[in-house]
Amino acid sequence: MPRSAALTPDQVPVDSKSTLDAFTTNLGFTPNMLATFAQSPIAFNAWATWRASLNRALDLKTREIISLAVSEVNGCDYCLAVHSYTANMAKLPADEIILARKGHATDLKRDAAVQFARKVIEVRGHVSDTDLKTVRNAGYTDATIAEIVALVAVYSLTNFFNNVFDPEKDYPAVPPAGSI
């Protein structure tokens, strides 16, 4: 049960309205998570700006695989549903989506990125020299490793937000991790 109601269009703060309207136009509807997050123009707009910048990091499939792994570790059912849906739209097959939730990918370079991202969230950033060497050996530079870390952080923010407020789900539910 949601812990905070999604705002109706007439309840959206003026300073959140243009950002929320842009998402609504782009997606064709207003997800409940966004209509809930919009209650704080400061947090919502900061997140939206950060997210937009990170949409230029890596490639779409790698970003989606990382989002699934991070959301699985953080236990965010809302984000798992959203990112399973968007990963499907990014042409990731169902078995690749399940593999991503487990922190792996079939593509070797993506596998290194998602394993590193999962390690970052699991150990709260205290990765080993070996972890860094492995992701660097897969072809990631310190700049792209910084992007992986930033993606882990931005996905964790929405995971934490959704775990706190539990907005009503508006994407198809996915099975629990134990059943995949």
Side-chain angles (χ1 to χ4, degrees):
M1 168 158 263
R3 293 180 177 171
S4 181
L7 300 177
T8 62
D10 61 315
Q11 294 173 319
V12 175
V14 169
D15 290 344
S16 292
K17 187 158 179 33
S18 65
T19 302
L20 186 60
D21 287 349
F23 277 108
T24 300
T25 299
N26 187 43
L27 297 171
F29 78 108
T30 305
N32 290 321
M33 176 262 190
L34 299 179
T36 304
F37 207 167
Q39 293 179 71
S40 169
I42 293 169
F44 180 59
N45 289 318
W47 165 80
T49 300
W50 192 17
R51 182 188 169 279
S53 294
L54 289 173
N55 278 346
R56 296 188 310 268
L58 308 171
D59 63 278
L60 176 61
K61 288 181 180 180
T62 303
R63 290 192 314 268
E64 286 304 322
I65 287 170
I66 290 170
S67 72
L68 287 161
V70 170
S71 297
E72 188 70 46
V73 170
N74 287 327
C76 182
D77 293 337
Y78 190 98
C79 289
L80 285 168
V82 170
H83 289 289
S84 293
Y85 179 84
T86 56
N88 186 30
M89 300 301 289
K91 308 247 187 282
L92 281 171
D95 60 331
E96 187 82 6
I97 292 170
I98 291 168
L99 197 59
R101 289 179 63 184
K102 295 177 180 179
H104 292 285
T106 56
D107 175 88
L108 292 177
K109 187 170 182 178
R110 281 192 188 110
D111 190 56
V114 73
Q115 283 190 52
F116 183 76
R118 186 173 174 103
K119 180 67 115 180
V120 168
I121 193 66
E122 287 175 339
V123 301
R124 311 297 185 256
H126 296 282
V127 298
S128 69
D129 291 344
T130 302
D131 296 325
L132 273 173
K133 183 179 179 185
T134 299
V135 75
R136 285 175 177 147
N137 286 345
Y140 291 96
T141 64
D142 285 354
T144 51
I145 292 168
E147 292 168 0
I148 292 169
V149 173
L151 287 165
V152 168
V154 78
Y155 295 136
S156 291
L157 172 60
T158 55
N159 294 164
F160 297 164
F161 178 87
N162 289 314
N163 287 342
V164 168
F165 290 105
D166 193 24
E168 185 176 337
K169 312 302 185 276
D170 41 23
Y171 285 87
V174 297
S179 66
I180 58 173

